[in-house]
Amino acid sequence: MAYTKEQLLQLQSFYTTQLLNDTVPFWFPRSFDQEQQGFLLMRDRDGSLLDDDKAVWIQGRATWLLATLYNTVEPKKEWLDGAELGYQFLKKHCFDTDGQMFFHVTRDGRPIRKRRYFFSETFAVIAFAAYAKATGNEAIAAEARELFGKCITYATTPGILPPKYTGTRPTKGIGVPMIMINTAQQLRDTIGDDRCDEWISKWIREIEVDFVKDDIRCVMEQVAPDGSIIDHIDGRTLNPGHAIEGAWFILQEARYRNNDPHLIGLGCRMLDYMWERGWDKEYGGILYFRDVYGKPVQEYWQDMKFWWPHNEVIIATLLAFLVTGDQKYADWHQQVHDYAYAHFHDKEHGEWFGYLHRDGTVAQPAKGNLFKGPFHLPRQEWFCMQILKEYIN
């Protein structure tokens, strides 16, 4: 049955309560590093510190979250002060001398590892932009726009960054156009940038032409440079939750463009295809990896349930229902919402476990590491809270 207005109000209340009384308090203020700036986010189940290294992705994401909460929920001094810690650490310690950003640094900002791609930069763009809006600081806004320009260059200039693959089997992944769509959307929504609309259209077109395969009802994770399927293990490997994250970026763009019917259709097809391939009909939840032709997947964690795909599918199914009114999406949203909050949510200490076995039992209890921190879950709860508020009103 499609959601009633009363049920949508209940969902809005639930996501608001979870975000502000459960998820955010797990992380803050305990994770503020008042001595070295930035955040200490590698946390055990109960919030105790496991490691004081800092993942640059998560430093940017946490800064974005705090500034976004300040901008959209309540102008709390604690959130603005926390965003200041994150901005200062990113600016002072996370850029190498060549202008590219690190991936992993020590507590005091000494570099440990750099990655071949530029996702640290994209998270810094949205962090700087949200913080610039919170402070009204035009110099920081200019930094965000300049860094966005660098990301465009990285995304469109062959050879400017070390390639993921060399030799006779070049590939391109859906991750770059996806993350750039969302980066541009965040930049546009906070401080504005005249380049965003045109580039978002280009990246959506790339996804539609090269990665969405309507003939086999699939969204590829990587393809050959001409968009063809690479019939080898890596080329066949799908990540349903990741593709569904891309679907909701496109559905959100459809809303921005007055419910553009073409974009609604594209986003819903992506969601449909990857729900069919990713939803575990035996145990529930979203399987991590699938093979496009149903063959065995190489990675041993292929049938595990990770936290973040469920956050993305919760957003995508709710958004699809709100823009289409299709009962199917309400049913899917209720399924994934109920599964996720029953299995991932830690009712004793708050927040979510990150990793479950296929049967839904917890694989390991830590809440924070190099990849997991205050982003996918609080973004999901914040986004659902906001979109429901707009829809209901």
Side-chain angles (χ1 to χ4, degrees):
M1 184 176 71
Y3 284 130
T4 65
K5 182 175 181 180
E6 181 180 356
Q7 288 172 320
L8 293 176
L9 284 167
Q10 291 171 350
L11 281 172
Q12 182 196 13
S13 176
F14 176 85
Y15 289 128
T16 302
T17 299
Q18 287 296 124
L19 175 70
L20 301 179
N21 296 346
D22 187 295
T23 303
V24 172
F26 177 87
W27 296 104
F28 307 116
R30 65 156 57 108
S31 297
F32 294 159
D33 188 346
Q34 302 290 356
E35 297 178 20
Q36 301 291 347
Q37 299 181 316
F39 312 103
L40 296 166
L41 297 168
M42 298 197 191
R43 302 268 167 191
D44 205 346
R45 178 187 178 187
D46 62 359
S48 58
L49 197 64
L50 288 171
D51 191 317
D52 65 5
D53 283 351
K54 293 172 179 172
V56 176
W57 285 17
I58 317 297
Q59 298 295 306
R61 289 168 162 183
T63 304
W64 170 84
L65 173 66
L66 289 162
T68 297
L69 292 174
Y70 180 88
N71 290 333
T72 62
V73 178
E74 181 184 350
K76 289 179 65 173
K77 184 176 184 298
E78 176 184 295
W79 291 341
L80 186 62
D81 290 348
E84 165 78 8
L85 291 173
Y87 167 75
Q88 292 295 344
F89 187 84
L90 288 164
K91 187 78 188 300
K92 292 176 182 177
H93 300 296
C94 296
F95 288 86
D96 201 352
T97 54
D98 62 3
Q100 295 175 21
M101 294 186 74
F102 298 113
F103 171 74
H104 181 189
V105 298
T106 63
R107 180 181 179 183
D108 59 359
R110 288 171 290 129
I112 295 173
R113 198 182 345 166
K114 203 170 171 181
R115 302 296 284 267
R116 62 181 175 268
Y117 37 72
F118 56 96
F119 292 174
S120 291
E121 284 83 347
T122 64
F123 297 126
V125 170
I126 65 173
F128 287 10
Y131 183 62
K133 180 177 181 179
T135 59
N137 189 315
E138 283 301 318
I140 299 174
E143 291 172 352
R145 296 188 186 102
E146 179 182 5
L147 189 55
F148 178 61
K150 288 185 177 181
C151 290
I152 293 174
T153 300
Y154 294 149
T156 58
T157 308
I160 195 170
L161 295 176
K164 182 176 181 182
Y165 294 99
T166 58
T168 59
R169 198 176 293 156
T171 70
K172 62 177 182 177
I174 198 172
V176 169
M178 267 183 55
I179 202 166
M180 290 301 290
I181 289 168
N182 189 244
T183 301
Q185 289 172 328
Q186 288 295 318
L187 182 67
R188 181 180 63 194
D189 291 349
T190 48
I191 58 173
D193 189 300
D194 291 341
R195 297 168 291 183
C196 291
D197 287 356
E198 179 182 359
W199 277 105
I200 288 170
S201 294
K202 289 179 180 179
W203 289 315
I204 291 175
R205 180 66 177 161
E206 180 181 358
I207 290 173
E208 182 174 19
V209 170
D210 290 336
F211 295 93
V212 178
K213 307 298 183 186
D214 292 305
D215 57 334
I216 57 172
R217 299 181 64 83
C218 187
V219 182
M220 301 304 298
E221 190 67 16
Q222 57 180 279
V223 292
D226 65 358
S228 61
I229 295 175
I230 302 168
D231 193 2
H232 293 271
I233 288 175
D234 286 341
R236 294 195 305 262
T237 300
L238 310 175
N239 187 325
H242 194 225
I244 291 173
E245 182 179 18
W248 82 253
F249 293 165
I250 291 171
L251 289 172
Q252 179 68 347
E253 191 63 22
R255 289 185 68 248
Y256 177 81
R257 301 185 185 192
N258 298 311
N259 290 322
D260 180 292
H262 179 78
L263 294 184
I264 291 174
L266 174 61
C268 287
R269 293 201 316 276
M270 292 171 66
L271 170 57
D272 291 351
Y273 298 165
M274 301 316 282
W275 177 278
E276 291 168 5
R277 290 177 176 268
W279 183 258
D280 186 343
K281 297 178 178 62
E282 182 176 357
Y283 292 101
I286 300 295
L287 296 160
Y288 199 69
F289 285 132
R290 298 285 85 192
D291 182 277
V292 66
Y293 299 132
K295 298 179 180 181
V297 177
Q298 178 169 268
E299 282 76 9
Y300 64 84
W301 59 94
Q302 50 87 25
D303 65 349
M304 289 179 67
K305 313 292 169 60
F306 283 30
W307 87 102
W308 67 265
H310 294 78
N311 297 136
E312 307 313 324
V313 178
I314 286 171
I315 293 175
T317 50
L318 180 61
L319 192 50
F321 169 71
L322 295 180
V323 299
T324 68
D326 190 330
Q327 176 181 329
K328 171 179 71 177
Y329 297 122
D331 293 341
W332 288 359
H333 176 263
Q334 186 169 26
Q335 285 183 63
V336 68
H337 170 101
D338 290 351
Y339 175 89
Y341 281 95
H343 292 85
F344 285 100
H345 181 225
D346 182 352
K347 296 173 179 59
E348 181 179 357
H349 296 289
E351 239 276 352
W352 279 20
F353 301 113
Y355 310 93
L356 308 179
H357 298 295
R358 185 181 177 190
D359 64 1
T361 56
V362 176
Q364 62 101 330
K367 303 286 176 58
N369 55 36
L370 277 174
F371 297 96
K372 186 180 185 299
F375 183 63
H376 287 281
L377 173 60
R379 181 176 71 168
Q380 171 234 300
E381 291 169 341
W382 168 81
F383 184 89
C384 291
M385 174 185 77
Q386 295 292 110
I387 192 73
L388 285 165
K389 182 179 179 181
E390 293 174 21
Y391 181 83
I392 294 165
N393 292 339

